Amino acid sequence: MGHICIGIMAHVDAGKTTLSEGMLYLSGAVRRLGRVDHGDAFLDTDVQERERGITIFSKQAELTWGDTSFTLLDTPGHVDFSAEMERVLGVLDCAVLVISGADGVQAHTRTLWKLLARHQIPTFLFVNKMDLAGADRDALLAQLQDKLDGGCLDFSAGLEPILEDLASSDEELLDKYLEWGEVTWEDAAALVARRLVFPCFFGSALKLEGVEALLDGLSRYVPAPEHPADFGARVFKIARDGADRLTYVKVTGGSLKVRTLLGEEKVNQIRIYSGARYQTVDEAPAGTVCALTGLTKTRPGDVFGAEPPAAGPELEPVLTYQVVLPPGCDVHATLRDLRQLEEEDPQLRVVWSEALGEIHLQLMGEVQLEVLTRLIRERFGTEVTFGAGSIVYRETITGPVEGVGHFEPLRHYAEVHLLLEPGPRGSGLRFSSACPTDQLDLNWQRLVLTHLMEKEHRGVLTGSPITDMKIALVAGRAHVKHTEGGDFRQATYRAVRQGLMQADNLLLEPHYDFTLELPPDCVGRAMNDLQTMGGSVEGPEQEGELSVLTGHAPVAGLRDYWREVTAYTRGRGRLSCALRGYEPCASQEEVVSRLAYDPERDVDNPPDSVFCSHGAGVTVKWYEVRDHMHVDSGLRLGTEPLPPEPAAPSGGERQYRGGSLEQDKELLAVFERTYGKVERETAFQPQRKPARTSLDEGKYTIREQNTGPEYLLVDGYNIIFAWDELTALARQDMPAARGALEDILSNYQGFRRCVVILVFDAYKVKGNPGSVEKKNNIYVVYTREAETADAYIEKATYDLGRDHRVRVATSDALEQMIILGHGALRLSARAFKAEVEQAQGEISALVAKLNRRNIGDRKLRHTAKIIEKK
């Protein structure tokens, strides 16, 4: 019997829990059909859930339909509890997205759809409440295909009516259909698993209409997943049942037994819950969702065994409230209690202000706040209230900047240079190293990256956390005797702050996507309100008697706007919101002035550095640090002047790094015979504008270069032994590995249009004169006797780098930028592989696009044939 874990999710009031009840009832898992409005639903086990008629906490139930057993996870639909829903996504085999036939696709529906796409979860759709007046199946299906995905197909009547639509979803299946005229249910299941098709079912969960068809579809079109033999498990929830702390996990491989050691703790019990009841088992096989007791240090997102690390959450809290305690209440005891709630819900952020002696909570909305107030009272016996809420802002930068941090009190030493760059909106913080290991040892580099990741860094506008930035270590220095780990912590923190103090900073505020339904005569008022609060409005569109406005606007304006909508529409308007993410704050100056944050007075986040002078540590202000720093990273941002060229020696002859002048002339002659004339700059040519290059995007001045063909020199054997697949091939057949690398680079060159020179060592071959051969569209070089590939590449970069952009791919452990000779960018084997894979992906996407066009043409031809036969 196969086992599948399915999640039920929806926007609020779509009938999600009612559908879950119907599935449990029809499968025989419960004997009586519960109802949300009667307060007796099997999965609404919490008192507040029964009173409010909404799901607050995700619930588990077990059922069997035919030859398939299901673990059903019912998730919250209200936007304030979206984080509870998001944590469940990582353990699902498939999802059922419930949509109200009366409301259609809402803003929160689109948020759920994006999350399901991000996690690549096969998805079914159940359009509920089709028994209500005005529910139009054809119109709703068209809306699903328009607003969600064109692969939304009506499976209610089986496959026969949709055979052509299924076949056109995949080229191979279309070929099969054109030849044999059939599409099997196994074919349909494969399309569902690849998220090319999304089965849609229509009905009324309250009347059990369409529920049986949905269960049939789930058991037929969702293949049971295959699990690895090695043990793996993922934690997705922490809860409490009386005095027991429960760690909810899904076993993703192997099996889990009682008394197994996970981390430093043993599993005491394995419980499989169904509603409020549970049964204990001694062993949980792969695919099981269960609750473990005996673990006290687990957190949602933890993984065990062979399970890969979990992705970070997409949703973040947007509001912050001060916790107001009753007189005589122990603030530290309350803080401990709130930490317990925080571990159950990681998106509930408990912030302790040591300076003010205050506790602040960051959360999603006011409904969550009301639930939390009662939960604190019932669980801990504390009657707390909350101050006026405020917005959780974020900060980022608009342009690149180099931050320098130096920490050198007596007998301590560390200097760190960081490149801070703006990242795409919603990307968060990304850290990397581009520092040569001959400048800063690998262990120190790892320590710097650890310090970057361990702290929530504050911006300099309002003291809000920074986001949407790429931070790369580009230079640093340690002392052989005096450097300790804590020195790099101080230098790293100060480098971030010093960079932010120099940067153009941008304040971000959270936005909601909204759908506003209201009478046509209220549209003008609504559009004026939304635009005044800094929103972006689309529409209006007419749906029946109501007009519909969509768009996005700041949370600060929309959080209480529903009250105004109710008032000016006389109860006929409805506002639906879903968290969009962070956008630039339209009232930045006003917010910064109101919060009055002074970054130079923030003693926990100093931007200044500490240097040693006359045997004592001296604080140097952030704007003077560059005048005292000990390391030059080589970065030249914006219009900063280039370093002077080395002076020519007396006699008018310039000294060359690669060797003697005669050797370099010989090398130049070889290159010109092979690649064509290389024009050299003379002293009489006008100075060119500095070329802008970067670690990855081409932005920063390294040296002057002409525009023209880019040269890529690849150290062949280094790359072969740095890429696992080539290494494995080389162990069996070295010529085959060389040929495979040549093929890869040929494809890469054809897409990137650069000049590729692949260099192999042949320096041990006696009497070898060396060779240069053009294979396909790349040059393959074998070095001569006594000349290594490194020496050849260094000389080549000198000659080519004078007038061309040159990059060198070789196998350093970390991505790093090194000036080779006169101006080349060094690319690690790992970074180069990522570039190659990206190019291959773009090539595949282009081919797929062309194939889709061909499929469309073939489908038209097929339709014409059918018409002709008829």
Side-chain angles (χ1 to χ4, degrees), residues 646-669:
S650 58
E653 203 175 81
R654 184 187 295 255
Q655 290 217 332
Y656 288 29
R657 270 194 68 186
S660 69
L661 181 61
E662 289 73 17
Q663 289 174 330
D664 287 321
K665 285 181 177 178
E666 179 187 356
L667 177 66
L668 179 59

Side-chain angles (χ1 to χ4, degrees), residues 695-861:
L695 304 180
D696 55 356
E697 295 177 357
K699 293 182 182 174
Y700 309 112
T701 300
I702 302 299
R703 62 162 292 101
E704 298 174 320
Q705 291 173 324
N706 277 329
T707 57
E710 176 186 294
Y711 283 77
L712 173 67
L713 287 97
V714 180
D715 192 336
Y717 289 125
N718 269 326
I719 295 297
I720 286 175
F721 290 108
W723 293 2
D724 293 340
E725 62 275 18
L726 293 181
T727 302
L729 183 58
R731 290 196 183 103
Q732 300 175 2
D733 188 347
M734 179 58 76
R738 290 197 296 263
L741 181 57
E742 290 170 7
D743 292 341
I744 291 171
L745 294 179
S746 291
N747 289 336
Y748 176 84
Q749 190 281 334
F751 190 74
R752 295 298 186 200
R753 298 297 181 187
C754 57
V755 178
V756 177
I757 305 171
L758 176 59
V759 184
F760 289 110
D761 278 313
Y763 68 97
K764 291 186 178 180
V765 181
K766 291 196 176 217
N768 176 34
S771 66
V772 178
E773 179 183 358
K774 189 169 185 180
K775 291 187 177 180
N776 296 325
N777 50 348
I778 68 171
Y779 295 96
V780 180
V781 176
Y782 286 87
T783 62
R784 63 174 178 260
E785 181 184 4
E787 181 184 40
T788 64
D790 288 341
Y792 183 95
I793 289 172
E794 186 170 351
K795 293 175 184 178
T797 54
Y798 171 78
D799 284 285
L800 293 173
R802 297 296 303 159
D803 297 281
H804 299 275
R805 187 169 186 263
V806 180
R807 299 196 302 161
V808 179
T810 186
S811 59
D812 284 76
L814 291 172
E815 186 178 347
Q816 56 183 296
M817 184 177 63
I818 300 176
I819 302 302
L820 295 177
H822 287 264
L825 187 65
R826 189 163 188 171
L827 202 59
S828 71
R830 181 179 60 184
F832 181 49
K833 186 175 184 182
E835 268 194 25
V836 170
E837 290 174 347
Q838 181 184 2
Q840 291 172 339
E842 293 178 15
I843 293 170
S844 299
L846 183 60
V847 171
K849 185 176 181 180
L850 294 173
N851 286 338
R852 283 196 296 272
R853 288 183 182 174
N854 292 334
I855 291 171
D857 293 342
R858 293 165 68 183
K859 184 178 177 182
L860 287 174
R861 291 196 299 271

Side-chain angles (χ1 to χ4, degrees), residues 295-519:
L295 307 180
T296 62
K297 300 178 181 179
T298 49
R299 296 291 184 273
D302 287 353
V303 293
F304 298 103
E307 180 68 9
E314 182 96 352
L315 303 175
E316 294 286 341
V318 296
L319 299 174
T320 180
Y321 294 85
Q322 179 191 347
V323 180
V324 180
L325 301 177
C329 181
D330 184 350
V331 64
H332 295 288
T334 303
L335 181 63
R336 183 189 63 241
D337 294 339
L338 293 176
R339 293 292 186 198
Q340 186 180 110
L341 297 179
E342 184 182 36
E343 72 176 17
E344 297 175 17
D345 182 358
Q347 301 315 105
L348 169 67
R349 306 286 173 79
V350 180
V351 180
W352 165 248
S353 174
E354 187 74 41
L356 300 176
E358 295 175 351
I359 303 174
H360 293 256
L361 294 186
Q362 295 178 1
L363 36 76
M364 298 293 289
E366 294 186 1
V367 175
Q368 185 185 10
L369 189 69
E370 295 170 6
V371 170
L372 200 60
T373 303
R374 180 167 171 180
L375 187 61
I376 294 171
R377 180 175 68 247
E378 293 177 351
R379 185 183 293 190
F380 306 118
T382 305
E383 195 72 46
V384 302
T385 57
F386 294 92
S390 59
I391 300 298
V392 178
Y393 293 99
R394 294 282 190 269
E395 296 182 28
T396 188
I397 58 177
T398 60
V401 66
E402 180 184 5
V404 181
H406 189 96
F407 187 69
E408 192 187 2
L410 188 62
R411 295 189 178 88
H412 293 268
Y413 188 93
E415 182 166 304
V416 170
H417 292 243
L418 301 174
L419 173 62
L420 285 64
E421 297 178 280
R425 193 71 65 236
S427 60
L429 295 177
R430 299 179 181 178
F431 306 108
S432 62
S433 177
C435 178
T437 52
D438 55 358
Q439 183 183 85
L440 188 65
D441 285 345
L442 196 57
N443 61 316
W444 295 125
Q445 294 191 31
R446 289 172 177 155
L447 189 60
V448 170
L449 294 177
T450 299
H451 293 323
L452 284 171
M453 290 184 284
E454 72 188 2
K455 179 181 179 180
E456 187 175 66
H457 300 279
R458 300 283 173 177
V460 297
L461 294 176
T462 62
S464 302
I466 61 173
T467 188
D468 298 345
M469 292 169 55
K470 296 183 289 184
I471 303 179
L473 172 65
V474 293
R477 178 175 291 178
H479 192 279
V480 175
K481 182 177 180 182
H482 296 310
T483 298
E484 299 176 358
D487 300 343
F488 272 104
R489 176 184 290 109
Q490 287 292 328
T492 301
Y493 293 172
R494 293 167 191 266
V496 173
R497 294 288 284 185
Q498 198 264 353
L500 293 174
M501 292 294 288
Q502 302 173 78
D504 292 326
N505 292 273
L506 179 67
L507 188 66
L508 304 176
E509 64 178 341
H511 275 224
Y512 280 143
D513 283 323
F514 67 82
T515 301
L516 177 57
E517 303 173 36
L518 71 176

Side-chain angles (χ1 to χ4, degrees), residues 627-646:
D627 297 331
H628 296 77
M629 65 186 187
H630 295 178
V631 179
D632 184 358
S633 67
L635 287 179
R636 298 293 180 267
L637 307 184
T639 57
E640 198 172 323
L642 295 169
E645 290 283 348

Side-chain angles (χ1 to χ4, degrees), residues 515-665:
T515 301
L516 177 57
E517 303 173 36
L518 71 176
D521 58 344
C522 299
V523 168
R525 159 73 187 272
M527 293 186 71
N528 181 67
D529 288 348
L530 292 166
Q531 290 169 356
T532 300
M533 67 177 67
S536 174
V537 185
E538 299 174 6
E541 296 179 359
Q542 202 67 26
E543 291 188 5
E545 298 180 356
L546 296 178
S547 295
V548 179
L549 298 177
T550 58
H552 63 90
V555 171
L558 286 179
R559 55 186 292 204
D560 296 320
Y561 187 60
W562 64 272
R563 294 189 176 94
E564 293 185 42
V565 171
T566 303
Y568 70 71
T569 63
R570 295 179 174 83
R572 293 182 294 165
R574 183 172 61 175
L575 177 66
S576 171
C577 295
L579 185 62
R580 173 186 178 88
Y582 277 81
E583 299 289 344
C585 180
S587 54
Q588 175 170 319
E589 292 185 7
E590 176 189 338
V591 173
V592 171
S593 175
R594 173 167 51 84
L595 295 180
Y597 173 74
D598 186 350
E600 297 195 58
R601 292 179 180 271
D602 188 344
V603 295
D604 294 327
N605 300 282
D608 307 325
S609 286
V610 179
F611 288 81
C612 186
S613 178
H614 302 291
V618 177
T619 300
V620 174
K621 299 298 290 182
W622 62 270
Y623 47 81
E624 297 177 343
V625 169
R626 296 192 66 85
D627 297 331
H628 296 77
M629 65 186 187
H630 295 178
V631 179
D632 184 358
S633 67
L635 287 179
R636 298 293 180 267
L637 307 184
T639 57
E640 198 172 323
L642 295 169
E645 290 283 348
S650 58
E653 203 175 81
R654 184 187 295 255
Q655 290 217 332
Y656 288 29
R657 270 194 68 186
S660 69
L661 181 61
E662 289 73 17
Q663 289 174 330
D664 287 321
K665 285 181 177 178

